[in-house]
Amino acid sequence: MDNSEIIALLNRDLEGEHATIVQYLTHAYAMGEGEMACEIEAIAREEMRHLDWLAETIVELGGTPSLERGGMRTGGTAVPDWMGNDVLQEEDAITLYEEHLRVIDDPRIVRLLERILSDEKSHRGDFQHFVDKAAREGATDIRGSLKDESTEVINWGIAHEYTVILQYLFHSYMTPDKDVRREMEDQAINEMQHLGWLAEKLVDRKGTPEIEHGEVDRSSKTADMLRVDISIENEVAARYDRAVDEFEEPDLKKLFTRLRDHERYHADVFSDLLRKEDK
């Protein structure tokens, strides 16, 4: 099997991990605070690690990581139903990894897929346990249908954060500059925190997070990446700054102020890197 064929298979795995992350986070946020929600978020973080490993391997093989999201199971009206869907999501992943292990003969990639497969089998067992646990503990969907100006801004923020997570990760994989790569990875992690803060705040206000992203920049030159990233950080910092003035609730002011300050910091860091790149 040549590299192009392996890249195609790994991108299918990557798309599945992407879908799984969003599915699990959606379920965790909808349940609010609690032990089970925290455990599901921890599983989602392990899936993020898988995505990272797969993307880096694809680039090493001369490919481009896919930004597409695979199929998600979002049906079900009760938490035990969601956990059942998560079991099925893990079973799909297990099946796919086992199929790819049968046809890929590169020892290093086989070792990686076997490592990921071990996690997925463990996750399947976790979710099988959560089906019963959710029913036993009476876990419920605490989201609501509130739609007002604040929920609109928060969901706008969620879309932004999701978009730049993908964008900064993609840029980190594609840039040859080690300093830029490290900063892109760090800022992507910070943006993931932002997404969580916004989603949790929206659920607290009885709204429903809409975890969808906008257009992701796919620049191939490091300087172009940084210019786009600076622009988007300045844009979102200005929007969060307006939100600080628009809302009177102290909790919203505090959240939007913190987000604004983080985005300004990101823009400054990227500007420093761009000046270095342009020398």
Side-chain angles (χ1 to χ4, degrees):
M1 177 172 286
D2 64 25
N3 281 3
S4 64
E5 293 173 308
I6 296 175
I7 289 166
L9 295 181
L10 295 183
N11 264 324
R12 284 187 62 196
D13 296 328
L14 182 69
E15 291 168 3
E17 295 291 349
H18 184 174
T20 296
I21 292 164
V22 177
Q23 178 171 319
Y24 295 171
L25 289 178
T26 298
H27 292 165
Y29 296 145
M31 295 164 61
E33 297 180 359
E35 179 185 2
M36 190 158 57
C38 288
E39 291 182 53
I40 294 170
E41 286 192 56
I43 291 173
R45 286 193 292 273
E46 291 191 347
E47 306 292 7
M48 293 174 199
R49 188 179 300 117
H50 298 168
L51 184 149
D52 195 51
W53 290 340
L54 290 165
E56 289 177 348
T57 302
I58 289 166
V59 172
E60 289 171 4
L61 292 172
T64 300
S66 172
L67 295 177
E68 298 302 313
R69 190 170 74 191
M72 295 168 52
R73 288 186 171 85
T74 57
T77 59
V79 176
D81 297 333
W82 303 349
M83 299 301 99
N85 283 336
D86 294 343
V87 172
L88 295 175
Q89 195 78 0
E90 289 295 343
E91 290 180 348
D92 282 351
I94 290 167
T95 297
L96 195 61
Y97 282 120
E98 288 177 339
E99 288 177 358
H100 293 173
L101 280 165
R102 283 193 290 270
V103 297
I104 293 175
D105 55 8
D106 183 311
R108 186 174 62 91
I109 296 173
V110 167
R111 183 174 66 237
L112 172 63
L113 297 187
E114 287 177 339
R115 167 66 171 79
I116 295 174
L117 179 61
S118 175
D119 284 346
E120 306 300 8
K121 290 179 177 179
S122 178
H123 296 165
R124 177 178 59 184
D126 292 334
F127 284 117
Q128 288 169 336
H129 170 66
F130 293 157
V131 172
D132 294 332
K133 185 176 181 179
R136 185 172 63 253
E137 297 182 355
T140 59
D141 182 353
I142 67 169
R143 295 173 297 182
S145 58
L146 177 66
K147 290 189 177 181
D148 61 9
E149 187 177 359
S150 69
T151 61
E152 182 179 335
V153 173
I154 293 171
N155 263 323
W156 177 89
I158 289 171
H160 159 74
E161 303 297 345
Y162 184 7
T163 302
V164 293
I165 290 165
L166 294 178
Q167 184 163 306
Y168 296 169
L169 286 176
F170 183 81
H171 288 172
S172 76
Y173 301 136
M174 302 306 293
T175 180
D177 188 307
K178 293 181 180 179
D179 290 337
V180 173
R181 180 183 306 122
R182 183 177 62 252
E183 286 296 343
M184 292 291 180
E185 291 172 348
D186 286 346
Q187 305 317 331
I189 292 169
N190 195 196
E191 304 291 6
M192 177 58 73
Q193 289 178 305
H194 294 176
L195 189 153
W197 296 342
L198 289 162
E200 289 165 1
K201 178 62 66 179
L202 189 53
V203 171
D204 286 345
R205 296 174 71 83
K206 298 303 178 186
T208 295
E210 299 171 6
I211 307 181
E212 298 295 339
H213 65 82
E215 184 177 356
V216 178
D217 178 76
R218 292 173 169 81
S219 295
S220 58
K221 295 182 179 179
T222 300
D224 292 340
M225 296 176 189
L226 290 166
R227 290 188 183 95
V228 170
D229 295 338
I230 292 166
S231 176
I232 199 170
E233 288 293 352
N234 286 331
E235 175 189 338
V236 74
R239 183 64 190 94
Y240 285 144
D241 193 41
R242 293 197 301 274
V244 172
D245 295 330
E246 289 170 4
F247 300 104
E248 297 300 324
E249 297 98 324
D251 62 327
L252 287 181
K253 281 185 172 294
K254 181 179 178 181
L255 175 60
F256 289 132
T257 297
R258 190 178 186 190
L259 293 171
R260 177 202 64 196
D261 292 346
H262 284 196
E263 307 298 1
R264 288 175 174 172
Y265 172 77
H266 297 168
D268 288 342
V269 169
F270 292 152
S271 294
D272 288 344
L273 290 168
L274 180 59
R275 282 190 288 272
K276 178 182 174 184
E277 187 71 19
D278 284 341
K279 284 183 180 179

